[in-house]
Amino acid sequence: MDLYSIANMEPYDDLIRSVQPALAFLQSHVGYDCWTVARKVDDEYIVVAARDRAYGIAGGEVLRWSDTLCARMALGLGPRVAPALAVVPAYTRAPFARHTPVGAYLGVPLHGPDGDLIGSLAALHPTEMPNGVREHLPMVEAMAKTIAGSLAAHVVLAERGRVAERAMADASTDPLTGVGNRRAWEWTIAAEEERCARFRRPAAVISLDVDGLKQTNDEHGHAAGDDLLRRAAVAISSAVRAHDVVARLGGDEFGVLAIECDGRTARRLAKRIARALEEEGVRASMGIAGRADGGLAAAVEAADAAMYAAKRHLRATR
């Protein structure tokens, strides 16, 4: 199995308890050695609950969604019931099937109230199953609707928690630029660090320092300097994603907390910010750091250090 991380499942405890009896029933009445309920988050397949006597799959395991059989099933590339996996090319070509001995598959997508795909109910078996297993699909689909309701409720509660956090952060706004102030930044960093540690989620920090603010103030007045800072905030905010956090940390310094963001995505994000600043006629030095063993606090320090190094290099080359 192409496993690449483990998620902390404590936040899913109530959901796990609610779906385990359903998995036990399905295993005893339909067959298949392995049954799972998984949540889809971007390109991650997070196993929320499992009842497995063949592969050792357990709750908390995370795979790439695009590698799984369920991704192909949800796209309609293969049937929901495949008693003989070998005769379904879309499934045999899936990276998961190439690394795991699967003879039979059954999968049903789980949708939220708005129709969005939020996960899957799936079954695997090491050898082929009899064709008669298809007769159980209506029952499995009915149970999938119930499980989807429970999963959707969990997703909504988690999102409401994040929205409430963001509302508190929004109350701490820098009056000049309209982005978050240092208080909001520190509070959001702490809240996101807790989430990253719990769910093993990636994040990154981008530190920016607007070049030439003092010179602008001295030569053109503080109104021009304020305008420079406002244009910087507009440019940065226009380049980040909806769920990222932008804050003015004081003076000419800004910070971006890139949520659910790995190193490659952070670098792309930084390039977008650089282009937006250039279009606004704003020069800035920038540093990037991903969350690692030291958490987001260490990432903030590392991004600051990289930003100051870039600023020193800029001064030395002038």
Side-chain angles (χ1 to χ4, degrees), residues 79-101:
R80 292 188 176 185
V81 184
L85 196 84
V87 301
V88 185
Y91 289 158
T92 58
R93 288 195 296 263
F96 179 86
R98 292 202 300 265
H99 294 91
T100 308

Side-chain angles (χ1 to χ4, degrees), residues 105-310:
Y105 166 77
L106 186 154
V108 178
L110 303 178
H111 295 284
D114 56 1
D116 287 348
L117 180 66
I118 59 174
S120 64
L121 168 64
L124 305 171
H125 199 74
T127 58
E128 293 184 6
M129 295 284 286
N131 284 328
V133 75
R134 302 176 193 273
E135 298 174 0
H136 296 289
L137 181 59
M139 178 185 68
V140 177
E141 290 174 333
M143 297 193 73
K145 287 183 180 180
T146 301
I147 292 171
S150 298
L151 181 57
H154 174 86
V155 172
V156 167
L157 287 174
E159 183 60 25
R160 283 178 180 171
R162 177 166 278 172
V163 168
E165 292 169 0
R166 185 62 54 83
M168 292 177 64
D170 287 344
S172 301
T173 302
D174 175 55
L176 175 63
T177 62
V179 299
N181 60 18
R182 178 171 286 278
R183 177 184 177 186
W185 174 256
E186 292 177 349
W187 187 91
T188 307
I189 287 287
E192 192 61 29
E193 170 58 28
E194 181 179 353
R195 185 177 293 109
C196 288
R198 178 175 294 181
F199 296 111
R200 302 286 183 90
R201 309 299 297 160
V205 174
I206 301 174
S207 292
L208 302 100
D209 188 278
V210 176
D211 296 327
L213 177 62
K214 184 178 184 304
Q215 182 180 357
T216 300
N217 285 333
D218 292 343
E219 296 181 0
H220 304 287
H222 285 276
D226 289 350
D227 180 65
L228 176 62
L229 291 172
R230 280 191 288 265
R231 285 189 286 120
V234 168
I236 297 167
S237 299
S238 70
V240 301
R241 303 163 302 169
H243 55 280
D244 294 329
V245 176
V246 180
R248 182 185 174 206
L249 307 182
D252 53 5
E253 294 185 20
F254 291 83
V256 175
L257 173 58
I259 296 171
E260 306 273 351
C261 184
D262 58 18
R264 181 185 301 177
T265 305
R267 289 188 292 273
R268 289 200 300 265
L269 182 60
K271 289 180 180 178
R272 289 207 304 271
I273 292 172
R275 285 196 299 269
L277 288 168
E278 184 178 0
E279 291 171 0
E280 283 286 340
V282 178
R283 292 179 289 109
S285 301
M286 192 180 310
I288 312 169
R291 181 186 180 277
D293 293 341
L296 284 174
V300 170
E301 293 182 3
D304 282 347
M307 181 267 290
Y308 286 122

Side-chain angles (χ1 to χ4, degrees), residues 1-6 43-47 55-58 60-69 72 93-102 124:
M1 181 175 59
D2 191 18
L3 169 72
Y4 72 92
S5 65
I6 302 292
D43 193 38
E44 288 191 340
Y45 176 98
I46 304 172
V47 179
Y55 303 99
I57 296 175
E61 296 183 359
V62 184
L63 296 87
R64 277 178 288 273
W65 169 262
S66 54
D67 286 352
T68 65
L69 302 174
R72 286 152 177 77
R93 288 195 296 263
F96 179 86
R98 292 202 300 265
H99 294 91
T100 308
V102 181
L124 305 171

